[in-house]
Structure formats: structure tokens, C-alpha cells
Amino acid sequence: MKSSSIVILDNGASTIKAGLLGVHDDQPLIIPNAVVRSKGDNATYIGHELAKCRDYTSIRYRLPFEKGFLVDWDAQKAVWDGIFSSDVLGLNTSEASLLITEPYFNLPNIQDVYDQFVFEEYEFQSYCRCTPASLVPHGPLLAHMGLASPECLLVIDSGFSFTHVVPIINGAVVWEAVKRIDVGGKLMTNHLKEIISFRQWNLMEETHIVNEVKEACCFVSDDFTRDLEACRVQPTRNAIVQEYVFPDYSANRPGRIRRAGETLDDSRQTLVMNNERFTVPEILFHPTDIGLGQSGISATVAASISLLPDDLQGMFWANIGLIGGNTALPGFRQRLESELRSLAPIECEVVVFSSEHPILEAYYSAVAFAARPEFAQCAVTREEYQESGSNACRRKFRDWKPVEKEATRSREQGKGKSTESQMDVEGDDIPPPTKKTVRGRGRGRGAARRQV
């Protein structure tokens, strides 16, 4: 292997999109980010090994991510070991560089563990860690007619755990305006499980099957009230109702939607999908439907743009990009664009760009970024980490936290101005107090901060 090899990991909570630059640019490997226990096969599968599973009935997931953050490092290491092994990438990590994505608002102590695993466990030559949305300006999603991506854009990333609205100016995330909705693919799958188990079949232990049902049947309604009324008036005879044929793993027959007029064997079991098809994705637009006290995507986008500079807001309305698996739902872009038009100022044009493969869009953008010469300047080398530890990563990687240099400079300026004010007081021949109270010291530091 060449020493210049670059590994790209779009490390999602549900799946990892992995590949080598120049080898998997167009078709990355999609690997489940989980350790799975199959009761039917009586076996445990780690990451890429899940493709060998023959019975997905009542499988149990051990997920490295919990509530959007990487917390189970043993499970994650097992999945990464499989990816770097000869069965998948066949990678010698000590002779390669790494580009990996991390969650939005990732916690500092978790980031430190990322750094330790990359340099101390796998000994990569260098690596770069960033959020998926920050890669989008480098990719093709918002590029028009061969031109570069616009300077101002807004990315909606709706993934497994959350949905984030991320504004970007000149390639830098405006963290003060980033918004999060606590609705993702996991919540919608669990909600669909509860509805189906209450109305028809008990599928509370069948997460894999219900997720396949959601991906095959669900869509975003362009008129929720009309479709709901149609399902109520004619529950079994309307244009929305579908029958999903459950998989038969003993006969190696996958699940599918039943064709019109198709005759089935008595052994095949079906699931009737009526208003569940559109009421479950509706949570993205109205989280209050399940008791979440949050705004939907459209209102959240408007709230995020309102926090941005007034003279730039029109550019954000005209450059909205969609990434993440939930944005692949049929009708999602049309519904979002329709609602945003009613919320945007009348003089602003609203344009929403969707990807043909929204799950892979962050990976494609990462490929474009890794192929650029400036990637080497953005990465932290092993030598820099050995010299400064995680401080080298904090200085180089753009993050939602203030840069350490700026914070230190602010503190030094505050101390300097406090010293100057103290010298002015002494020059007025006012005797210094014999003891400074805690209250007095607090006012002094606050005044220094306000002056800065």
C-alpha cells in the first residue's frame, strides 16, 4: 500500500460509508455500525459480517451510538477492526491517512477518545475530523452548471438520531444558528413499531423488519388532512393503502410490497399499511404529534436563517441542501419547499436541492475534499499529536467551541486592562483596600470581560 492512501469513514450512527480515495470514490462500502445478535442463526455478527446473516427475525442490536453520541467504544472498535481488516479494505493503518465524520456538538471528552483511537490504537499518519454538513460545500450537491458551491448555504441533515439545520458561510459552520430537532430515523422506526404492534402484528422485537417496511412504504404527504380523511372514509379501498408481504427467511424470500391482484400462498403473511404510510414521516414536520415540544423542519429552518446576517438571508433561502436517509422519503423535498415558500420573505427565492443518493452525499463530498491539496493542511499528523496531544486537534479542527488561542488572548487582554485600571487608582493616591472580598473580585473580572 502507498503511504499516501486516504481512508474515508462517514461514521454514521446507523451505517458507516467507508472507502479508499481513488478506489471507492463512486461506490463506497455501506456497513452496519452495530454488533448484531441473531436468534435464528444463533450467531453474532460484527459490522460487515451482517451480510452473512440468513435469519433477521428478532435480531438484537448493540449500537456504538446512543442519543447521537459515540459511547460504546468497544463495539465501535470491533466494527472499525472489521473495516480495516483484509475482509473489507485490507488496510495497514500506519501507512494511511484518515478522514472521519463526527456528530454535531460532539463533546470534548469524546473527541479526545477519537484522537486516542486514531493515533494510539491505529497509528494513522494523519487524520481530519469534521461534521458531515461541513463537507457539503466541497461536494456536488449545490454546485450549479459546473460552478463551485455558493458561499452561503444551509444544509438539512436528517439522520438516524437527530435532524440538524446547519448554515454555512465560506465553508465554516455558523454554530450560533445551528438548530436540532430530536427526530430521526430511529424514532420513526420505533414509533411505527408501536403503531403496528397495537393495530395488527406484535413487531416490538422486529426492528430490522419494521425498518424495511418504513423504507419501502412510507412517504411524506403533500396534504396531510386530505390523505387522512381519505383513509378514514374508505379504510381498505383508497389510493394510499398497501400490503407489505413479510419476508420468509426459511425460503430465502425477502419482504416486498404486494402487487395489485397478486395471489399469495396461505403461508405468506401480510401487513396492511394505511395511514401509517404518511403519519409516521409527518413527525418530522410536526413533532408535537407525539408530544415533542419542538418546531418542525420548516419552522426550524426559518428560525435558523433569522439568526443570520440580514443581508445574507436571501442566499440561504436560495441554497438549501438535503442529506441524510430521511430526506430520501418520497415527497420530502416537495413538501419542505412548499412550506418554506410560505415562511420566506416575499422577495426571497426558495430553492431546495436534493441528492439522488442522500445517504451517500456526505461521503461524496468527503471524497472531493480529500482529493484537494488543502486536505493535508487541515489534517493533524501523528508527529503533531505526539508533541501536543489532543490540543493539536483542537487548534486545527473547526468546532462549535471557541478556539483555545482566542480564549487565551481574551483572558490576557482582560488581565492587562484590569492591571491598568488598578494603576490608575493607585495614581490618585487612594489607599488600596486591605482585603478584597469575593464579591469585589467577581465584579472586577466581569468588568474586564465586558471591556474585552
Side-chain angles (χ1 to χ4, degrees):
M1 165 173 288
K2 297 180 181 180
S3 59
S4 59
S5 297
I6 298 177
V7 189
I8 300 172
L9 292 184
D10 181 10
N11 204 62
S14 176
T15 58
I16 297 176
K17 282 65 69 176
L20 293 173
L21 182 65
V23 179
H24 305 96
D25 291 357
D26 298 326
Q27 191 58 48
L29 305 173
I30 302 178
I31 298 166
N33 195 5
V35 178
V36 180
R37 175 68 182 176
S38 172
K39 289 185 177 180
D41 291 351
N42 193 24
T44 300
Y45 301 101
I46 299 175
H48 69 283
E49 298 175 350
L50 187 59
K52 303 175 184 177
C53 183
R54 293 292 172 261
D55 190 348
Y56 291 91
T57 305
S58 300
I59 62 176
R60 299 285 183 127
Y61 288 90
R62 179 182 171 185
L63 301 173
F65 281 79
E66 183 69 29
K67 296 183 179 179
F69 294 103
L70 208 173
V71 294
D72 191 340
W73 287 96
D74 291 336
Q76 187 65 88
K77 182 180 182 302
V79 176
W80 285 347
D81 287 345
I83 293 174
F84 300 144
S85 69
S86 58
D87 295 336
V88 184
L89 294 181
L91 182 70
N92 182 0
T93 56
S94 63
E95 298 180 353
S97 298
L98 174 68
L99 172 57
I100 188 171
T101 61
E102 65 172 342
Y104 303 94
F105 298 107
N106 201 9
L107 302 177
N109 57 340
I110 297 179
Q111 292 176 330
D112 291 348
V113 182
Y114 271 90
D115 304 336
Q116 293 169 13
F117 264 81
V118 169
F119 287 119
E120 299 178 19
E121 184 68 31
Y122 294 109
E123 298 181 341
F124 277 96
Q125 287 185 344
S126 64
Y127 104 113
C128 180
R129 167 170 44 80
C130 58
T131 58
S134 64
L135 295 168
V136 171
H138 304 282
L141 179 60
L142 281 85
H144 310 290
M145 302 296 291
L147 300 176
S149 296
E151 295 179 352
C152 299
L153 58 104
L154 187 136
V155 178
I156 299 175
D157 185 355
S158 186
F160 183 70
S161 302
F162 302 118
T163 297
H164 285 88
V165 177
V166 186
I168 298 174
I169 299 179
N170 291 328
V173 175
V174 186
W175 288 103
E176 296 79 7
V178 175
K179 298 290 184 181
R180 188 186 84 180
I181 307 172
D182 297 338
V183 177
K186 180 180 179 181
L187 184 144
M188 290 193 291
T189 299
N190 290 337
H191 185 58
L192 183 58
K193 275 197 303 185
E194 294 176 359
I195 294 176
I196 295 173
S197 300
F198 179 76
R199 296 178 180 177
Q200 298 181 62
W201 301 91
N202 183 5
L203 299 179
M204 291 303 293
E205 300 294 327
E206 305 295 345
T207 303
H208 181 83
I209 295 176
V210 174
N211 192 65
E212 289 188 334
V213 172
K214 181 191 72 175
E215 294 177 354
C217 299
C218 287
F219 69 96
V220 176
S221 172
D222 60 348
D223 191 333
F224 182 78
T225 305
R226 179 201 63 200
D227 291 343
L228 195 63
E229 181 65 15
C231 293
R232 187 190 67 82
V233 174
Q234 294 182 324
T236 58
R237 295 183 180 180
N238 59 68
I240 297 174
V241 67
Q242 281 184 345
E243 276 191 275
Y244 184 85
V245 183
F246 283 121
D248 185 355
Y249 295 117
S250 61
N252 197 24
R253 291 186 290 189
R256 58 181 175 83
I257 297 174
R258 184 177 182 178
R259 295 181 291 273
E262 180 185 5
T263 303
L264 298 174
D265 299 337
D266 295 338
S267 60
R268 301 305 300 270
Q269 296 176 325
T270 62
L271 168 68
V272 178
M273 291 288 289
N274 197 3
N275 62 18
E276 300 90 350
R277 293 186 62 200
F278 59 89
T279 55
V280 170
E282 188 68 19
I283 301 172
L284 286 165
F285 294 87
H286 292 97
T288 53
D289 289 352
I290 59 171
L292 280 177
Q294 292 182 313
S295 302
I297 287 185
S298 305
T300 303
V301 168
S304 176
I305 294 179
S306 68
L307 298 174
L308 299 166
D310 294 341
D311 55 339
L312 300 179
Q313 292 183 8
M315 296 183 65
F316 287 98
W317 285 109
N319 296 287
I320 299 174
L322 305 179
I323 63 173
N326 299 325
T327 64
L329 288 166
F332 182 92
R333 187 190 68 82
Q334 292 81 357
R335 168 73 176 276
L336 178 64
E337 198 168 41
S338 174
E339 291 193 359
L340 290 179
R341 288 186 197 279
S342 63
L343 296 174
I346 191 171
E347 68 275 8
C348 293
E349 180 185 14
V350 176
V351 183
V352 179
F353 297 88
S354 59
S355 172
E356 186 178 354
H357 304 288
I359 296 177
L360 305 179
E361 188 59 40
Y363 178 87
Y364 292 146
S365 300
V367 168
F369 174 54
R372 295 188 176 187
E374 55 263 32
F375 170 75
Q377 301 173 1
C378 299
V380 173
T381 64
R382 190 192 312 166
E383 291 75 15
E384 291 173 336
Y385 177 80
Q386 290 173 346
E387 180 180 350
S388 304
S390 291
N391 288 330
C393 302
R394 296 190 190 102
R395 287 192 295 265
K396 215 161 197 180
F397 299 154
R398 293 181 177 179
D399 205 347
W400 61 276
K401 301 181 298 299
V403 180
E404 184 178 351
K405 287 183 178 179
E406 295 179 358
T408 304
R409 190 184 302 116
S410 298
R411 287 195 298 267
E412 290 176 352
Q413 290 177 355
K415 289 180 181 178
K417 293 190 177 183
S418 297
T419 305
E420 291 176 3
S421 61
Q422 189 176 17
M423 291 173 64
D424 293 340
V425 170
E426 293 174 354
D428 292 338
D429 296 331
I430 300 176
T434 56
K435 183 178 180 181
K436 293 183 180 179
T437 63
V438 174
R439 185 177 179 182
R441 287 200 299 270
R443 285 202 303 269
R445 288 200 299 269
R449 284 198 295 270
R450 287 194 293 273
Q451 290 172 3
V452 174

